[in-house]
Short mmCIF file of all heavy atoms in Angstrom, two decimals:
data_model
loop_
_atom_site.label_atom_id
_atom_site.label_comp_id
_atom_site.label_asym_id
_atom_site.label_seq_id
_atom_site.Cartn_x
_atom_site.Cartn_y
_atom_site.Cartn_z
N GLN D 33 22.74 11.10 4.29
CA GLN D 33 21.77 11.60 5.27
C GLN D 33 20.47 12.03 4.60
O GLN D 33 19.38 11.79 5.12
CB GLN D 33 22.38 12.76 6.05
CG GLN D 33 23.58 12.37 6.89
CD GLN D 33 24.27 13.56 7.53
OE1 GLN D 33 23.87 14.70 7.30
NE2 GLN D 33 25.32 13.30 8.31
N LEU D 34 20.62 12.66 3.41
CA LEU D 34 19.41 13.06 2.68
C LEU D 34 18.60 11.84 2.27
O LEU D 34 17.36 11.86 2.34
CB LEU D 34 19.81 13.87 1.45
CG LEU D 34 18.67 14.29 0.51
CD1 LEU D 34 17.68 15.18 1.25
CD2 LEU D 34 19.22 15.00 -0.72
N ASN D 35 19.29 10.77 1.85
CA ASN D 35 18.57 9.55 1.49
C ASN D 35 17.81 8.97 2.67
O ASN D 35 16.67 8.50 2.53
CB ASN D 35 19.55 8.52 0.93
CG ASN D 35 20.14 8.93 -0.41
OD1 ASN D 35 19.55 9.73 -1.13
ND2 ASN D 35 21.30 8.40 -0.74
N GLN D 36 18.45 9.01 3.85
CA GLN D 36 17.77 8.49 5.03
C GLN D 36 16.55 9.33 5.39
O GLN D 36 15.48 8.79 5.71
CB GLN D 36 18.76 8.44 6.20
CG GLN D 36 19.92 7.46 6.00
CD GLN D 36 20.92 7.51 7.13
OE1 GLN D 36 20.72 8.24 8.10
NE2 GLN D 36 22.01 6.76 7.00
N ILE D 37 16.74 10.67 5.33
CA ILE D 37 15.59 11.54 5.64
C ILE D 37 14.49 11.36 4.61
O ILE D 37 13.29 11.33 4.94
CB ILE D 37 16.05 13.01 5.72
CG1 ILE D 37 17.03 13.20 6.88
CG2 ILE D 37 14.86 13.94 5.88
CD1 ILE D 37 17.61 14.59 6.94
N SER D 38 14.89 11.24 3.33
CA SER D 38 13.88 11.03 2.29
C SER D 38 13.14 9.72 2.50
O SER D 38 11.92 9.64 2.30
CB SER D 38 14.56 11.03 0.91
OG SER D 38 15.20 12.26 0.67
N HIS D 39 13.88 8.69 2.91
CA HIS D 39 13.23 7.40 3.17
C HIS D 39 12.23 7.51 4.31
O HIS D 39 11.10 7.00 4.23
CB HIS D 39 14.29 6.35 3.48
CG HIS D 39 13.73 5.01 3.82
ND1 HIS D 39 13.62 4.56 5.12
CD2 HIS D 39 13.22 4.02 3.02
CE1 HIS D 39 13.08 3.35 5.12
NE2 HIS D 39 12.84 2.99 3.85
N LEU D 40 12.62 8.17 5.38
CA LEU D 40 11.70 8.36 6.51
C LEU D 40 10.48 9.17 6.08
O LEU D 40 9.36 8.90 6.52
CB LEU D 40 12.42 9.05 7.67
CG LEU D 40 13.55 8.24 8.33
CD1 LEU D 40 14.24 9.08 9.40
CD2 LEU D 40 13.00 6.96 8.94
N SER D 41 10.70 10.16 5.23
CA SER D 41 9.58 10.96 4.75
C SER D 41 8.63 10.13 3.91
O SER D 41 7.40 10.25 4.01
CB SER D 41 10.11 12.15 3.93
OG SER D 41 9.04 12.90 3.39
N ARG D 42 9.19 9.23 3.07
CA ARG D 42 8.32 8.37 2.26
C ARG D 42 7.53 7.42 3.14
O ARG D 42 6.34 7.18 2.90
CB ARG D 42 9.18 7.57 1.26
CG ARG D 42 9.81 8.42 0.19
CD ARG D 42 10.29 7.55 -0.97
NE ARG D 42 11.32 6.62 -0.59
CZ ARG D 42 12.62 6.89 -0.62
NH1 ARG D 42 13.04 8.08 -1.01
NH2 ARG D 42 13.52 5.98 -0.29
N VAL D 43 8.20 6.87 4.17
CA VAL D 43 7.50 5.98 5.08
C VAL D 43 6.36 6.72 5.78
O VAL D 43 5.25 6.18 5.95
CB VAL D 43 8.48 5.38 6.11
CG1 VAL D 43 7.75 4.61 7.19
CG2 VAL D 43 9.49 4.47 5.41
N ALA D 44 6.63 7.98 6.19
CA ALA D 44 5.57 8.76 6.85
C ALA D 44 4.40 9.02 5.90
O ALA D 44 3.23 8.93 6.29
CB ALA D 44 6.15 10.07 7.36
N MET D 45 4.70 9.35 4.65
CA MET D 45 3.62 9.59 3.68
C MET D 45 2.81 8.33 3.42
O MET D 45 1.58 8.36 3.33
CB MET D 45 4.22 10.11 2.38
CG MET D 45 4.64 11.56 2.41
SD MET D 45 5.01 12.19 0.76
CE MET D 45 6.34 11.10 0.28
N LEU D 46 3.51 7.20 3.30
CA LEU D 46 2.79 5.95 3.07
C LEU D 46 1.97 5.56 4.28
O LEU D 46 0.92 4.89 4.15
CB LEU D 46 3.78 4.84 2.73
CG LEU D 46 4.52 5.02 1.39
CD1 LEU D 46 5.56 3.93 1.20
CD2 LEU D 46 3.52 5.01 0.24
N GLY D 47 2.43 5.98 5.47
CA GLY D 47 1.60 5.75 6.65
C GLY D 47 0.28 6.51 6.57
O GLY D 47 -0.77 6.00 6.98
N GLU D 48 0.35 7.75 6.02
CA GLU D 48 -0.88 8.50 5.84
C GLU D 48 -1.80 7.83 4.82
O GLU D 48 -3.03 7.96 4.89
CB GLU D 48 -0.55 9.92 5.37
CG GLU D 48 0.25 10.73 6.37
CD GLU D 48 0.55 12.13 5.85
OE1 GLU D 48 -0.10 12.54 4.87
OE2 GLU D 48 1.43 12.80 6.42
N LEU D 49 -1.22 7.10 3.87
CA LEU D 49 -2.01 6.45 2.82
C LEU D 49 -2.35 5.00 3.16
O LEU D 49 -2.86 4.27 2.29
CB LEU D 49 -1.23 6.47 1.49
CG LEU D 49 -0.97 7.83 0.86
CD1 LEU D 49 -0.07 7.67 -0.35
CD2 LEU D 49 -2.28 8.48 0.46
N SER D 50 -2.05 4.58 4.37
CA SER D 50 -2.22 3.16 4.69
C SER D 50 -3.65 2.69 4.50
O SER D 50 -3.90 1.61 3.95
CB SER D 50 -1.78 2.90 6.14
OG SER D 50 -2.53 3.73 7.03
N GLY D 51 -4.65 3.49 4.91
CA GLY D 51 -6.05 3.08 4.74
C GLY D 51 -6.43 2.97 3.28
O GLY D 51 -7.04 1.98 2.85
N ALA D 52 -6.03 3.98 2.50
CA ALA D 52 -6.36 3.93 1.07
C ALA D 52 -5.62 2.80 0.38
O ALA D 52 -6.17 2.14 -0.52
CB ALA D 52 -5.99 5.27 0.42
N LEU D 53 -4.38 2.53 0.79
CA LEU D 53 -3.63 1.44 0.17
C LEU D 53 -4.23 0.08 0.54
O LEU D 53 -4.25 -0.84 -0.29
CB LEU D 53 -2.16 1.50 0.62
CG LEU D 53 -1.37 2.71 0.12
CD1 LEU D 53 0.01 2.73 0.74
CD2 LEU D 53 -1.25 2.67 -1.41
N ALA D 54 -4.71 -0.04 1.78
CA ALA D 54 -5.39 -1.29 2.16
C ALA D 54 -6.64 -1.52 1.31
O ALA D 54 -6.92 -2.64 0.87
CB ALA D 54 -5.76 -1.25 3.65
N HIS D 55 -7.37 -0.44 1.07
CA HIS D 55 -8.54 -0.55 0.20
C HIS D 55 -8.12 -0.88 -1.23
O HIS D 55 -8.78 -1.67 -1.93
CB HIS D 55 -9.33 0.76 0.22
CG HIS D 55 -10.51 0.76 -0.69
ND1 HIS D 55 -11.65 0.00 -0.45
CD2 HIS D 55 -10.75 1.42 -1.86
CE1 HIS D 55 -12.53 0.19 -1.42
NE2 HIS D 55 -11.98 1.06 -2.29
N GLU D 56 -7.01 -0.29 -1.68
CA GLU D 56 -6.53 -0.54 -3.03
C GLU D 56 -6.13 -2.00 -3.21
O GLU D 56 -6.34 -2.59 -4.27
CB GLU D 56 -5.32 0.36 -3.31
CG GLU D 56 -4.84 0.34 -4.75
CD GLU D 56 -5.74 1.16 -5.68
OE1 GLU D 56 -6.58 1.95 -5.17
OE2 GLU D 56 -5.61 1.00 -6.90
N LEU D 57 -5.58 -2.62 -2.16
CA LEU D 57 -5.20 -4.03 -2.23
C LEU D 57 -6.39 -4.96 -2.01
O LEU D 57 -6.43 -6.07 -2.54
CB LEU D 57 -4.11 -4.33 -1.19
CG LEU D 57 -2.70 -3.83 -1.50
CD1 LEU D 57 -1.78 -4.06 -0.31
CD2 LEU D 57 -2.15 -4.55 -2.72
N SER D 58 -7.36 -4.52 -1.20
CA SER D 58 -8.50 -5.40 -0.91
C SER D 58 -9.35 -5.65 -2.15
O SER D 58 -9.95 -6.72 -2.28
CB SER D 58 -9.37 -4.79 0.19
OG SER D 58 -9.98 -3.57 -0.26
N GLN D 59 -9.42 -4.72 -3.06
CA GLN D 59 -10.24 -4.90 -4.25
C GLN D 59 -9.74 -6.05 -5.12
O GLN D 59 -10.52 -6.96 -5.45
CB GLN D 59 -10.29 -3.60 -5.05
CG GLN D 59 -11.10 -2.52 -4.36
CD GLN D 59 -11.14 -1.24 -5.19
OE1 GLN D 59 -10.40 -1.09 -6.15
NE2 GLN D 59 -12.01 -0.31 -4.79
N PRO D 60 -8.49 -6.08 -5.54
CA PRO D 60 -8.06 -7.25 -6.34
C PRO D 60 -8.07 -8.54 -5.55
O PRO D 60 -8.36 -9.61 -6.11
CB PRO D 60 -6.64 -6.87 -6.77
CG PRO D 60 -6.19 -5.83 -5.80
CD PRO D 60 -7.42 -5.09 -5.40
N LEU D 61 -7.78 -8.49 -4.25
CA LEU D 61 -7.81 -9.72 -3.46
C LEU D 61 -9.23 -10.26 -3.35
O LEU D 61 -9.47 -11.48 -3.43
CB LEU D 61 -7.23 -9.45 -2.07
CG LEU D 61 -5.72 -9.14 -2.02
CD1 LEU D 61 -5.29 -8.82 -0.59
CD2 LEU D 61 -4.90 -10.30 -2.57
N THR D 62 -10.22 -9.38 -3.16
CA THR D 62 -11.62 -9.81 -3.11
C THR D 62 -12.05 -10.39 -4.44
O THR D 62 -12.76 -11.41 -4.51
CB THR D 62 -12.52 -8.62 -2.74
OG1 THR D 62 -12.11 -8.10 -1.46
CG2 THR D 62 -13.98 -9.04 -2.67
N ALA D 63 -11.60 -9.72 -5.53
CA ALA D 63 -11.96 -10.24 -6.86
C ALA D 63 -11.32 -11.60 -7.09
O ALA D 63 -11.95 -12.50 -7.68
CB ALA D 63 -11.51 -9.25 -7.93
N ILE D 64 -10.10 -11.79 -6.63
CA ILE D 64 -9.44 -13.09 -6.78
C ILE D 64 -10.20 -14.17 -6.01
O ILE D 64 -10.40 -15.29 -6.50
CB ILE D 64 -7.97 -13.00 -6.30
CG1 ILE D 64 -7.16 -12.14 -7.28
CG2 ILE D 64 -7.34 -14.38 -6.17
CD1 ILE D 64 -5.77 -11.84 -6.79
N LEU D 65 -10.62 -13.84 -4.76
CA LEU D 65 -11.36 -14.80 -3.95
C LEU D 65 -12.69 -15.18 -4.61
O LEU D 65 -13.06 -16.36 -4.67
CB LEU D 65 -11.60 -14.21 -2.56
CG LEU D 65 -12.43 -15.10 -1.60
CD1 LEU D 65 -11.71 -16.44 -1.35
CD2 LEU D 65 -12.66 -14.36 -0.28
N ALA D 66 -13.41 -14.16 -5.11
CA ALA D 66 -14.71 -14.44 -5.75
C ALA D 66 -14.54 -15.30 -6.99
O ALA D 66 -15.32 -16.24 -7.24
CB ALA D 66 -15.41 -13.13 -6.11
N ASN D 67 -13.54 -15.01 -7.80
CA ASN D 67 -13.30 -15.80 -9.01
C ASN D 67 -12.89 -17.23 -8.66
O ASN D 67 -13.26 -18.19 -9.37
CB ASN D 67 -12.24 -15.14 -9.87
CG ASN D 67 -12.76 -13.90 -10.57
OD1 ASN D 67 -13.91 -13.87 -11.01
ND2 ASN D 67 -11.90 -12.87 -10.70
N ALA D 68 -12.10 -17.39 -7.61
CA ALA D 68 -11.70 -18.74 -7.20
C ALA D 68 -12.90 -19.56 -6.74
O ALA D 68 -13.03 -20.75 -7.05
CB ALA D 68 -10.65 -18.65 -6.09
N GLN D 69 -13.79 -18.93 -5.95
CA GLN D 69 -14.99 -19.63 -5.50
C GLN D 69 -15.89 -20.01 -6.68
O GLN D 69 -16.46 -21.11 -6.74
CB GLN D 69 -15.76 -18.76 -4.51
CG GLN D 69 -15.02 -18.58 -3.19
CD GLN D 69 -15.71 -17.58 -2.27
OE1 GLN D 69 -16.58 -16.81 -2.71
NE2 GLN D 69 -15.31 -17.58 -1.00
N ALA D 70 -16.01 -19.08 -7.64
CA ALA D 70 -16.83 -19.38 -8.82
C ALA D 70 -16.22 -20.52 -9.62
O ALA D 70 -16.93 -21.39 -10.16
CB ALA D 70 -16.97 -18.14 -9.70
N ALA D 71 -14.90 -20.53 -9.74
CA ALA D 71 -14.25 -21.60 -10.47
C ALA D 71 -14.49 -22.95 -9.81
O ALA D 71 -14.66 -23.98 -10.48
CB ALA D 71 -12.75 -21.32 -10.56
#
């Protein structure tokens, strides 16, 4: 039960970080796209 509650708590925390995580992923993806176009 503690593992389940901990998992739900982690999911809730990551939900709060969803915007920042999207930004964190967009940077390498944008860099990959720019490098591919340059290539």
Side-chain angles (χ1 to χ4, degrees):
Q33 296 173 358
L34 176 61
N35 292 337
Q36 295 176 3
I37 296 175
S38 299
H39 177 259
L40 294 176
S41 177
R42 292 197 297 270
V43 172
M45 284 192 300
L46 294 175
E48 297 180 15
L49 295 174
S50 58
L53 293 174
H55 178 70
E56 188 77 14
L57 285 173
S58 66
Q59 290 181 348
L61 293 177
T62 301
I64 291 172
L65 178 61
N67 286 322
Q69 291 173 345

